[in-house]
Amino acid sequence: MSNQTPGRTSFWTSFAGVVTAVAGLLSALVAAGALIFQIVGKDDAPAPAPQPEARSTTSAPSSGPTSGPTSGSSPAGDPGQPLWHGQLRFDNNGIDFDTTPPTRELSPSIDIHDGDFFQIVAYNSSNKVARWTGAGAPGARDCSDLLAAQGDRVGKFAQGQIYCVRTGGGRVVAVKFLDAKQGGGSQIDATVWLDPAA
């Protein structure tokens, strides 16, 4: 004897019942497919390559400044390797190259600042600047020798020019002007070394 009331159809044979059954079947198929993909995908996937250990310091090439955006530092005891290399904004607040990385805060310890009319100005009497006119980019010894022969307190800069700077703390710096702006600051690329003559 049937439990159905005469004149009524089963829920599963109605439109709503068919839609519910199809939706349940599709959900089960998607879940099964995801499970199979996870199992098969894990076996076929190559093992991830080991990641190198993060290093707190990297060294830049010793050839001098480049226009790349990288920056880093190297051990302080190697006079042939840069202590720091990277790009900075150069303006009238000045830059202290005796910190690693260099700092851009107006203080008595700054080494150079942007003077009026495209001037690179040595801030203290112990600091010197000199324009590099040699072929290629200078190294630490090149800058040290140039500053000993031609170091001055002020120089006129233009886009693309390189200046050597002697800091108050025993460092030499090659500063390349990537752009030259009066008043608003200029983008520079700097490489900092220990002064070989110090």
Side-chain angles (χ1 to χ4, degrees):
M1 182 173 179
S2 172
N3 290 337
Q4 283 187 320
T5 310
R8 293 190 65 189
T9 60
S10 167
F11 171 77
W12 296 109
T13 59
S14 69
F15 178 74
V18 171
V19 169
T20 302
V22 170
L25 181 61
L26 287 176
S27 296
L29 288 174
V30 168
L35 179 64
I36 291 170
F37 179 76
Q38 285 182 345
I39 293 170
V40 173
K42 283 184 180 174
D43 292 339
D44 293 342
Q51 296 295 322
E53 288 185 27
R55 299 185 68 187
S56 61
T57 60
T58 58
S59 62
S62 59
S63 61
T66 64
S67 59
T70 60
S71 66
S73 61
S74 69
D78 185 353
Q81 291 296 315
L83 299 173
W84 186 88
H85 173 247
Q87 292 186 8
L88 296 165
R89 202 79 191 140
F90 175 65
D91 55 27
N92 57 7
N93 282 340
I95 301 173
D96 180 1
F97 288 112
D98 288 319
T99 63
T100 304
T103 52
R104 295 183 57 249
E105 295 177 7
L106 186 58
S107 73
S109 62
I110 65 173
D111 296 304
I112 56 171
H113 67 92
D114 186 358
D116 292 330
F117 308 108
F118 302 100
Q119 290 183 334
I120 178 172
V121 180
Y123 192 70
N124 294 310
S125 59
S126 59
N127 305 109
K128 300 291 182 201
V129 298
R131 183 174 165 214
W132 173 255
T133 57
R141 175 59 65 186
D142 297 322
C143 274
S144 183
D145 292 346
L146 176 66
L147 288 160
Q150 302 176 21
D152 200 350
R153 295 283 313 280
V154 178
K156 293 278 257 183
F157 67 83
Q159 181 173 333
Q161 290 181 341
I162 299 174
Y163 267 83
C164 291
V165 176
R166 175 166 281 125
T167 74
R171 296 181 177 189
V172 290
V173 186
V175 173
K176 180 174 184 179
F177 288 89
L178 303 179
D179 61 19
K181 296 180 182 172
Q182 184 175 343
S186 303
Q187 191 72 8
I188 62 170
D189 187 89
T191 305
V192 183
W193 299 275
L194 289 175
D195 188 348

